[in-house]
Amino acid sequence: MASASEEIIEKYLIPINRALSTFEINTPLRIAHFLAQVGHETGELKFSEELSSGAQYEGRSSLGNSQLGDGPRFKGRGLLQITGRANYSACETYLKTLPEYAALDITSSTENAEQLAENPELAALASGFYWARLKPKLNAVADADDLFWVSVYVNGWQVQENPFFPDRPREPNNMRHRSLMLRRAKSALGIML
């Protein structure tokens, strides 16, 4: 993440390493793909919270947003953007199995939900949870070195005006940057390009 300062890298280094270990993101390809997606989704570690208000998620039953205010309260946070009441609840349930987070509350208020953006360890662990538990195919497609499907599972897909993969009718947003992040991560990890 070339544009991340040494201070920011230092802030996330131990938390990301813990998430990698905890969620079996433990091969060079898995690590490279995870770091590439984190690099893209965070603007190279600049943002750990979605920039939009979250209003677009209001009332989205597919995210478990059943109460007034759930869209903004449970907007994307963490390095891979946990989004929605159902995903925050599942993440909280998992994180409470870790002794130091037995009393964690990220669902009762916006202020508590913001911990996923403000606490580097929670941001990283929530992203590992997203990778391994909410999107359980990610390690397998990373093992296959499939940037397209890793990106689909992280970001979804839609018709793009200027596609990176012209032979595919839909793809995730900003595939050029995701590809650049993957090349950098592979290079840093010594994976032959």
Side-chain angles (χ1 to χ4, degrees), residues 36-79:
Q37 296 299 320
V38 163
H40 175 73
E41 294 294 325
T42 63
E44 299 186 46
L45 297 176
K46 287 183 189 83
F47 310 103
S48 56
E49 182 172 332
E50 187 172 357
L51 297 177
S52 73
S53 71
Q56 69 273 28
Y57 305 123
E58 191 66 23
R60 289 262 309 266
S61 59
S62 63
L63 295 172
N65 289 346
S66 59
Q67 298 178 22
L68 187 61
D70 276 357
R73 183 175 304 116
F74 299 115
K75 72 179 190 171
R77 293 187 183 93
L79 303 178

Side-chain angles (χ1 to χ4, degrees), residues 148-174:
F148 178 81
W149 282 107
V150 167
S151 301
V152 167
Y153 290 132
V154 168
N155 188 253
W157 55 0
Q158 60 189 13
V159 174
Q160 301 293 332
E161 190 173 308
N162 186 17
F164 183 74
F165 296 104
D167 57 324
R168 298 194 187 244
R170 299 180 295 168
E171 66 183 41
N173 68 18
N174 244 321

Side-chain angles (χ1 to χ4, degrees), residues 24-35 131 139-140 142-143:
E24 297 181 358
I25 307 167
N26 54 7
T27 67
L29 279 174
R30 290 177 184 184
I31 294 167
H33 280 275
F34 181 83
L35 292 176
W131 182 277
N139 274 339
D143 290 341

